[in-house]
Amino acid sequence: MDHQKTIARPYAKAVFEFALEQKKLDNWSTTLKLLAMIAENPAMQSLYSDPNISPEELSSIFLGISGKDENTKNFILILNHYDRLSLLPQISELFEEAKAEYEKVSTVFVTSAFPLEDSIQKKLKASLEIRLQHEVIMDYELDKNLLGGAIIRAGDWVVDGSVRAKLEKLKQAVIS
């Protein structure tokens, strides 16, 4: 997957810069999400390696489903020319990351053993906005497998405040 993201990164960067220049970040965001869904469809994926489908036919099928404007058509044709249509999910994901960074918005995933009270959610959000220096969108999830505490994820940044993690640290300290 990392290899695919590496290949997808220049395409995502190019389309992000184009969308920013055109002041159409939201339009391209929506378009790329749609194109990613099409590219992930099992029927479409089987066409990528079908020797009976020419590149022109693949582009035509893709454009027929997506039915988009001239810029999107050109983007699809470029991706198809370089055999990169299957990378659309990664391109879309990288575009969304660049868009969130540009707009100074971070999605934070909080997994907790028990429901968090509204007051705790508000304090946590405020603290994270200070720490991350971004607007924070919180996504909460309950995990009954946690003994207690919570795990907070924002991109590559992870805070494991679960009881299990604390017990593991204690175990390692005792064993060492």
Side-chain angles (χ1 to χ4, degrees), residues 49-98:
S49 58
D50 188 337
N52 297 320
I53 302 291
S54 71
E56 294 78 20
E57 289 172 312
L58 184 58
S59 290
S60 180
I61 292 167
F62 216 95
L63 291 168
I65 296 169
S66 65
K68 288 295 178 179
D69 64 25
E70 196 65 27
N71 291 323
T72 305
K73 177 182 175 185
N74 291 337
F75 186 61
I76 289 170
L77 291 172
I78 288 169
L79 291 176
N80 191 33
H81 178 76
Y82 292 103
D83 197 26
R84 303 288 193 239
L85 285 173
S86 63
L87 296 177
L88 275 162
Q90 290 81 13
I91 293 169
S92 178
E93 181 182 333
L94 291 166
F95 179 91
E96 291 303 317
E97 288 174 11

Side-chain angles (χ1 to χ4, degrees), residues 146-151 159-167:
L146 292 178
L147 300 173
I151 301 170
V159 176
D160 191 344
S162 66
V163 171
R164 178 169 288 140
K166 291 179 182 180
L167 289 172

Side-chain angles (χ1 to χ4, degrees), residues 141-154:
E141 179 181 277
L142 291 179
D143 184 350
K144 300 291 183 183
N145 294 322
L146 292 178
L147 300 173
I151 301 170
I152 302 168
R153 291 181 180 87

